[in-house]
Amino acid sequence: MRKSAEVVVVGGGIIGCSIASELAGRGVEVVLLERAEIAHGASGRNHGLVYYPQNLLTDPLYKESYRIYREMAAATELDFGMDEHSIGLVVLAGSDEEWALAEAEAEVCRLGGVPVERWDQSQLRSAEPDVNDDFLGAWFIDDGYRVDPQALTLAFALQARSRGADVVTHVDAKQIVVRDGAVKGVITDEGPIEARVVVIAAGPWAPKLARTAGVELPITGARGWLLLTRPPRPVCNHLVESAGWHLISGDPGPPDVTVGGYGEGEATPTDIGLLLQPNANGYLLMGGSRIASIREDPEGPEVARQIARLAVVAIPALADVPIREVWSGVRPMSRDGLPLIGWAEEVEGLFIAGGHGGQGVMLGAGSGRLAAQMITKEDTFTDPGVFAVDRGSAPS
């Protein structure tokens, strides 16, 4: 491991690996530190979907990410399984309220240039015959490209290494060294690394590291649970989602866990929906949830049971299908649903890239390119002010 570098990137998820690759490709001397394995956290524990985000402000990040993924899919030897064509998203509606929620989601996609269509009950039955007859119809969004999120993140890490970056796993960054108001490096399990720029891309653990530099970040954790099954036959042809599940613009996810509420044993705030993802290998992935996370050990395992119940309501044929695996990952949520990409005002040389929530894969490559352009003082492909770290208040 190098003892000095121009830039140290902390975090081996999709954001950190993308930034390291972009910087190394510009000739910057980079060390990437990951405390466990590449894609160990939420970057390897998600649906692995690239689809239009529910916020028009992130449109440039999404479109840049999509372009980069297409380029990587054609160039890398590592197959991360990106669909050539969209699989399509069916947003179910079982009531007037759900019709309105589904339409709101479809409208954002339409404004972003994604084809959408309202399906009545007969159209839904024709497209998805296993869906429960109780649903009145659906909105169809012609979007959704599946990827293997672990392989995609690893592809960026390998690309970074091929470009000259030092990619180090199983080494934890314990403290950011700050002198006279400026970054001087980091202290790790293996000793210090000198650097004038440190990028914190540590997901939900970013605030902990930032505090060692005297910086408070408005990022909180939200755990998402996933279940894996393998039905004996396909039970859905598209992505199938409950109305209102996707984050709409301005929705930051579950509220904070308060001291009083935690002390009184109140239930942890949880947002639960349904997203069924049929994969090409015959497996069906079921999510999802956002449960306020204040510990590293898995909170709320009963949430997985609620997801299973929603899945059976949507597709009764799933009732007797064995569950093969259950797991969870913690998403880093910002206060306003937008990622934080930019310099920390309090400390010179400290760069933040986080708070992507459940959109790390969707926005990862574009976020990495924007961060690298800002760090190297290039012209940026989009206005970085939208994602400024100081745009909102830090947690009290």
Side-chain angles (χ1 to χ4, degrees), residues 90-105:
V90 177
V91 187
L92 300 174
S95 66
D96 289 342
E97 180 183 4
E98 290 180 357
W99 268 122
L101 290 170
E103 184 175 10
E105 182 174 337

Side-chain angles (χ1 to χ4, degrees), residues 207 303 352:
V303 171
I352 310 300

Side-chain angles (χ1 to χ4, degrees), residues 93-147:
S95 66
D96 289 342
E97 180 183 4
E98 290 180 357
W99 268 122
L101 290 170
E103 184 175 10
E105 182 174 337
E107 177 62 12
V108 175
C109 293
R110 186 191 67 78
L111 291 172
V114 180
V116 302
E117 182 181 356
R118 178 170 169 144
W119 284 353
D120 61 22
Q121 195 172 58
S122 64
Q123 290 171 301
L124 174 60
R125 297 292 165 266
S126 177
E128 295 290 353
D130 280 295
V131 165
N132 195 316
D133 291 339
D134 290 341
F135 287 100
L136 305 175
W139 274 92
F140 176 72
I141 301 172
D142 190 4
D143 196 13
Y145 302 86
R146 296 165 295 186
V147 298

Side-chain angles (χ1 to χ4, degrees), residues 72-383:
M72 287 191 68
T76 182
E77 294 183 2
L78 179 61
D79 181 12
F80 52 83
M82 187 171 186
D83 287 321
E84 185 65 28
H85 304 287
S86 64
I87 183 175
L89 174 65
V90 177
V91 187
L92 300 174
S95 66
D96 289 342
E97 180 183 4
E98 290 180 357
W99 268 122
L101 290 170
E103 184 175 10
E105 182 174 337
E107 177 62 12
V108 175
C109 293
R110 186 191 67 78
L111 291 172
V114 180
V116 302
E117 182 181 356
R118 178 170 169 144
W119 284 353
D120 61 22
Q121 195 172 58
S122 64
Q123 290 171 301
L124 174 60
R125 297 292 165 266
S126 177
E128 295 290 353
D130 280 295
V131 165
N132 195 316
D133 291 339
D134 290 341
F135 287 100
L136 305 175
W139 274 92
F140 176 72
I141 301 172
D142 190 4
D143 196 13
Y145 302 86
R146 296 165 295 186
V147 298
D148 179 335
Q150 286 187 321
L152 177 62
T153 305
L154 181 58
F156 277 107
L158 295 176
Q159 186 180 69
R161 183 173 286 155
S162 72
R163 291 173 169 177
D166 193 356
V167 178
V168 182
T169 56
H170 298 284
V171 172
D172 194 12
K174 301 293 189 183
Q175 187 179 78
I176 298 172
V177 180
V178 178
R179 287 194 296 272
D180 299 323
V183 164
K184 300 300 180 183
V186 296
I187 304 295
T188 77
D189 295 333
E190 302 294 328
I193 304 175
E194 294 181 1
R196 291 189 176 182
V197 174
V198 171
V199 178
I200 301 181
W205 299 280
K208 179 181 178 181
L209 183 59
R211 281 194 290 272
T212 69
V215 175
E216 290 292 328
L217 294 181
I219 294 175
T220 56
R223 184 175 298 277
W225 286 86
L226 294 169
L227 298 83
L228 186 69
T229 67
R230 199 173 195 279
R233 62 174 181 82
V235 295
C236 55
N237 301 312
H238 307 85
L239 303 169
V240 174
E241 179 197 76
S242 58
W245 168 236
H246 277 167
L247 283 174
I248 303 299
S249 175
D251 180 2
D256 290 333
V257 177
T258 65
V259 175
Y262 191 66
E264 294 299 322
E266 291 180 4
T268 306
T270 305
D271 183 12
I272 301 176
L274 180 67
L275 179 58
L276 300 177
Q277 177 181 321
N279 287 331
N281 58 9
Y283 284 89
L284 180 70
L285 193 57
M286 302 187 299
S289 59
R290 289 180 288 267
I291 174 172
S293 179
I294 56 174
R295 306 194 308 263
E296 290 201 35
D297 56 310
E299 309 102 315
E302 70 280 355
V303 171
R305 295 189 179 91
Q306 297 182 52
I307 294 170
R309 286 194 288 270
L310 289 174
V312 173
V313 169
I315 299 182
L318 286 171
D320 296 323
V321 175
I323 294 174
R324 300 298 181 90
E325 193 175 352
V326 178
W327 70 91
S328 68
V330 182
R331 282 77 167 129
M333 311 295 294
S334 71
R335 298 294 184 182
D336 59 5
L338 289 172
L340 283 67
I341 306 171
W343 298 101
E345 283 197 338
E346 301 94 327
V347 179
E348 181 183 346
L350 184 60
F351 194 93
I352 310 300
H356 288 71
Q359 299 181 335
V361 170
M362 285 180 272
L363 309 178
S367 297
R369 180 155 294 176
L370 178 61
Q373 289 173 340
M374 295 177 69
I375 291 168
T376 57
K377 297 180 171 57
E378 299 175 31
D379 292 336
T380 57
F381 69 86
T382 189
D383 178 13

